[in-house]
Amino acid sequence: MANEKKLYPSFQNPYLIEPTISLPDEMAVVGAGHIGPDIAYYLRTGMPDKKLYLVDVVEEPLKKAEARFKGYADKAVQKKKMKPEQAEKVLGNIVYTTDYAQLKNCGLVIEAATENLALKKKIFANLEAATSKEALLTSNTSGIPANEIFADMQYPGRSTITHFFAPAWRSLPVEVINWEGASDELINNLLWFFASTGKAPLVTDNVYSFLLNRIFESYTSEAAFLVDRATAKQVDHVAEAIVAAGPFFVLNLTGGNPLIYESQTRRMGENACYQPSHLLHSVAQWTVNRPGTKVDVPDDLAGWIKDRLLGLIFSQCFDIADRHVGTRADLNFGSIIGLGFKKGVFELMADLGDAEVQRIADAFVKERPGFPAPTRPIAEYTDFPRDILVDDKDGVRIITMRRPQAANALSAYTCDEILAELKKGEQDPAVKGFVITGYGTKAFCAGADIGGFIATLGNHAAGAEHSRSNSKVIEYIDTMDKPVVAAVNGLAMGGGVEVAMACHSRVADKKAFFQLPEITLGILPGMGGAVIPYRKWPQAAETFHGMVAEAKRLTCQDAEAIGMVQTVTSSYPEMIQAALAEVDRLSGQVPRAATGPVSIPEFTVPEAPNAGGLPLSREALSIVAQLVNEGAAADSLKAAMAITYERCGDIVCTDAPREGVFAFMEKRKPNFTK
């Protein structure tokens, strides 16, 4: 079933794809049982102006689906996530039907019936008879290979598997299977479609259980083998160190026992080691606690459970990487957004270290012979960029920060990954410049994750080093001879603003804005936000004083007016084209931050500082003022950045960051006393 095709036909960032289709005016979902209505609701919220058909062979599930939709919409209105008029639009223009003939004008149909191959083949025969040969017909199966489903179709090349994750209306990932019968055009069009409607599509090879389910199904199946020594409650409790909810709790929630049994039995065609526990066919509901419930587990038993679960997970990661079932970046990303892992599966490996991962892998294979084992050093499996996608277009390397689950916030890895890619491209004669952008249409980058900062509180050296480490990419960009352009596709906050400011030019979507909210947390912009703008746009110093001292928001239109943004655009494709044009414009004339002292109005601290009515820490703001004034007087950006690092060390030793950061995490207003 594995094929020789390149997984991604063109771009890994689906927003870069130029589709050959438009969003269809009419779509359908077949199957109104468990997941079908949730897929349908996703289509309604993603495209409320379009017409949707929900099809089933009997009326009762259609009526239940209609009630489910109303429940979802009512809850969204109650939580103020949707306005009443939006809810009315989402619930309208839906046709509930048992008649396939009504689908004649549908441009996309997603089959979401039960996991039965004969039934799926029958449905697709009906769909081919009812729709035009141009309609895209896909199957939401969790593990049946595409060639088995579509082999008898008249036009199989317009069909593939699009596998959703529960709850399908909200969960970000959808797997798009690139099988031997699928054209590059089909895969590209589906990637573009799903990205355009709010999903994060991942491409996988055509193997049993595809990408993420190879982890989930095997992991839950393995859990059933552990109950000869442990209870389901104990297994779940240990697992919660890794995932949001334990395997047995999830099996109960999804009614997944028979599905896991069937999928693992199917995978025995690949390897006999996947034979499932017969308990999955014997137990209807497991006796479990709600996640977070304390359970006493002896240390030796807890260690054994954890090793077995991690051993299984790592075994699947090795196999997926060795067989190129999907990219390691997609697997790491998907395990977080689709499977509820607290850290990506390869991040778990990196945290444990090579020797410990090897120990766990060896112990697992000893207990469970036949399962995949690592075929190369562990370090080779974990050596890849986790947070960025890298694409080439017209000689320009496009670096996309992909953490949409966190508004593309910078993790501990992101800046180093961007820096490594810039260094690599600087040495590549085929690369004439770079574009840095964010994934999706809502956020360029929401700043740095707060977790890394918390560890520095009260430690001057750690605070300075944290700032210095994150800022290596900032300093490097200013030394580059090839242009780096920021394509700001949405909100840019904190470290996201600083990355954009460090670039040689910026283009922005019309909805983008810039904000430095650090002072409201009792901290300061630690990656150059208090020094870079004054060296690049000193004429707008008062604007930057407001951003740094009061967390004032700067719209992209105002940023264009002061020369910070070169072009404001109306769509993601237009923004990327403008960024590519900027790379060409700056070729051979890369601008750098001003050298020597810059003349700006003195930054002063008011007696009672506040940001939008929120009282601020005068002590913290005094350190910010010192940084701004000293940085402007410095001889170079490098010297100004060195001052930034020292002031970061100073501020973490005050009371303000502890109060501000923990207030933010606790979702309350800070109470600064100094």
Side-chain angles (χ1 to χ4, degrees), residues 8-17 191 201 327 329-330 388-391 400 402 439:
Y8 284 87
S10 57
F11 302 111
Q12 292 191 74
N13 178 350
Y15 295 90
L16 302 178
I17 292 170
L191 293 177
T327 71
D330 280 354
I388 64 172
L389 300 176
V390 180
D391 292 295
T400 304
R402 182 179 64 168
Y439 188 91

Side-chain angles (χ1 to χ4, degrees), residues 605-624:
V605 181
E607 195 59 39
N610 75 89
L614 174 71
L616 301 175
S617 165
R618 199 168 191 281
E619 182 180 32
L621 197 56
S622 296
I623 295 173
V624 174

